[in-house]
Amino acid sequence: MMLSRPRRNRRNAAVRGLVQETHLTPAHLVLPLFLTAEPGVQRSEIASLPGHARLSLDAMLAEIEESMALGIRSFVVFPAVPDTLKDKVATYSYDPANFYLRAARAIKQRFPECWLISDVAMDPYNIDGHDGLVGQGRILNDETLPILGRMGVAQAEAGFDMLGPSDMMDGRVEYLREALDDAGFTETGILSYTAKYASAFYGPFRAALDSAPRTDADIPADKKTYQMDPANAREAIREAALDLAEGADMLMVKPALNYLDIIYRLKEVSDVPIAAYHVSGECAMLLAACRNGWLDYERAMPETLTSIRRAGADVILTYLAKDFARWYAARQ
Ligand code: PBG
């Protein structure tokens, strides 16, 4: 005799539907997009992230329209800034003529119902390739904050619904919250990159933006003095407590897959939603294996995204958002 037989609840699709614990829909996904202003370029493919490209504003508007039709309503946009517009203090990040800010205006004008998230960090605009200001061979924390503040307010003015500080400077969430409120942007949210690790999985992203740290003797070669050590978990809880106290509206874990335990832990201590960034390298790994015929994309892709949600992510940023939405629609 066997009293307990878990297989009884798996006998057919109907009962499996009854007992399914985790649900993921396109409404939970954010699609990251790369913006270019290179003259004459509509689409410039990113070799290490097949199927993804830097897009002109027109191409991005079309991409957003197509995504919205699939049920994806949230987007995070990153600018590919030409070197000629970069300097040590990221001046272009709050220049009123900035193509990124103009694009945000155009996107929100055309799609007022979408949720548009920005990137707050110096690296797209910084000739040194770091998220903060480089001085005396170091990344200067407190001197970076006013730059992030100007950048953030300019983004709110341009119409972004939510700022995404990805820089990992200490105190930046509070600094941004106060800067936004002082400027009257009390409704603009903050999605904090709370636990962002110094990860090897950002490669395709840095290639897309040409934003890797400059290789120079006087410049730190990596981001380890501000991004977290992949070996640490309790430190993520400390970062979460700070971001909650500083007024973050959502907390993010990044990357997602190698950090599912961090997602789970932050979910337990946070009363705001948890986001997870399924980063470029993680997507590239899956795409590579599937393109080689080693894995079945139609099964591996939804399983991957569902595992991130099962770990506790309310929101998932993923380059695979459109593929998931198509897969989801085909099953309805
Ligand atoms: C930098 C930033 C990075 C990503 C988002 N913002 C890379 C980095 O820290 O160098 C990576 C996202 C991805 O790999 O998809 N502010």
Side-chain angles (χ1 to χ4, degrees):
M1 204 177 59
M2 206 187 302
L3 291 179
S4 204
R5 287 182 182 270
R7 285 185 56 189
R8 282 196 285 261
N9 287 345
R10 299 178 201 142
R11 276 177 58 209
N12 70 12
V15 71
R16 290 195 294 272
L18 286 179
V19 302
Q20 183 176 332
E21 296 175 34
T22 303
H23 292 90
L24 179 66
T25 77
H28 302 119
L29 303 180
V30 179
L31 176 64
L33 295 168
F34 300 109
L35 181 73
T36 178
E38 206 182 317
V41 173
Q42 283 299 309
R43 254 188 95 85
S44 139
E45 299 298 328
I46 301 158
S48 48
L49 198 57
H52 296 268
R54 287 163 288 249
L55 303 173
S56 69
L57 175 57
D58 282 349
M60 189 169 289
L61 290 169
E63 179 78 7
I64 291 174
E65 184 165 33
E66 197 186 314
S67 305
M68 302 260 287
L70 289 165
I72 296 158
R73 294 173 292 180
S74 305
F75 305 89
V76 56
V77 181
F78 298 95
V81 178
D83 276 349
T84 49
L85 294 174
K86 295 183 184 180
D87 61 18
K88 283 193 79 72
V89 291
T91 313
Y92 187 67
S93 66
Y94 45 83
D95 185 329
N98 180 319
F99 68 87
Y100 179 64
L101 302 176
R102 281 191 281 127
R105 251 178 224 111
I107 292 167
K108 282 302 288 186
Q109 195 169 12
R110 175 99 168 262
F111 306 104
E113 70 279 29
C114 81
W115 188 251
L116 194 61
I117 304 170
S118 75
D119 179 46
V120 180
M122 286 179 65
D123 58 314
Y125 313 96
N126 186 347
I127 197 74
D128 296 327
H130 276 287
D131 295 21
L133 183 67
V134 178
Q136 298 108 46
R138 295 184 300 121
I139 314 302
L140 304 173
N141 192 89
D142 297 15
E143 292 80 349
T144 298
L145 298 181
I147 299 171
L148 300 177
R150 285 187 77 165
M151 188 185 307
V153 169
Q155 292 172 351
E157 263 164 10
F160 279 103
D161 298 297
M162 187 168 230
L163 305 188
S166 65
D167 57 286
M168 289 299 279
M169 297 301 118
D170 291 336
R172 92 275 206 210
V173 171
E174 180 175 6
Y175 196 96
L176 284 170
R177 186 67 270 156
E178 284 174 1
L180 287 173
D181 288 0
D182 285 349
F185 296 107
T186 54
E187 295 204 330
T188 306
I190 299 179
L191 164 63
S192 179
Y193 288 55
T194 298
K196 177 172 177 178
Y197 286 87
S199 169
F201 290 85
Y202 306 148
F205 176 98
R206 290 184 191 173
L209 296 193
D210 189 19
S211 65
R214 187 154 64 92
T215 44
D216 246 34
D218 56 332
I219 290 173
D222 57 46
K223 299 189 175 184
K224 290 180 185 170
T225 68
Y226 47 106
Q227 298 183 350
M228 286 177 50
D229 183 341
N232 293 356
R234 288 167 62 225
E235 199 180 339
I237 297 171
R238 182 180 187 207
E239 288 281 6
L242 286 168
D243 283 355
L244 289 170
E246 292 179 31
D249 297 286
M250 297 184 195
L251 307 184
M252 197 202 290
V253 175
K254 176 184 173 183
L257 289 177
N258 289 337
Y259 300 86
L260 295 179
D261 58 323
I262 308 299
I263 296 173
Y264 186 87
R265 289 202 195 199
L266 290 206
K267 181 73 165 220
E268 289 197 310
V269 299
S270 167
D271 52 7
V272 304
I274 302 295
Y277 201 144
H278 182 220
V279 299
S280 57
E282 297 179 308
C283 294
M285 277 199 303
L286 183 64
L287 290 168
C290 294
R291 280 172 184 237
N292 259 308
W294 296 340
L295 292 176
D296 176 359
Y297 189 63
E298 292 297 303
R299 292 181 57 211
M301 178 269 297
E303 179 179 332
T304 299
L305 297 179
T306 299
S307 73
I308 298 171
R309 181 144 170 95
R310 191 196 60 236
D314 299 286
V315 176
I316 302 173
L317 291 78
T318 177
Y319 301 91
L320 312 182
K322 276 171 67 190
D323 292 344
F324 177 83
R326 278 196 206 95
W327 172 87
Y328 183 82
R331 284 172 68 250
Q332 295 309 298

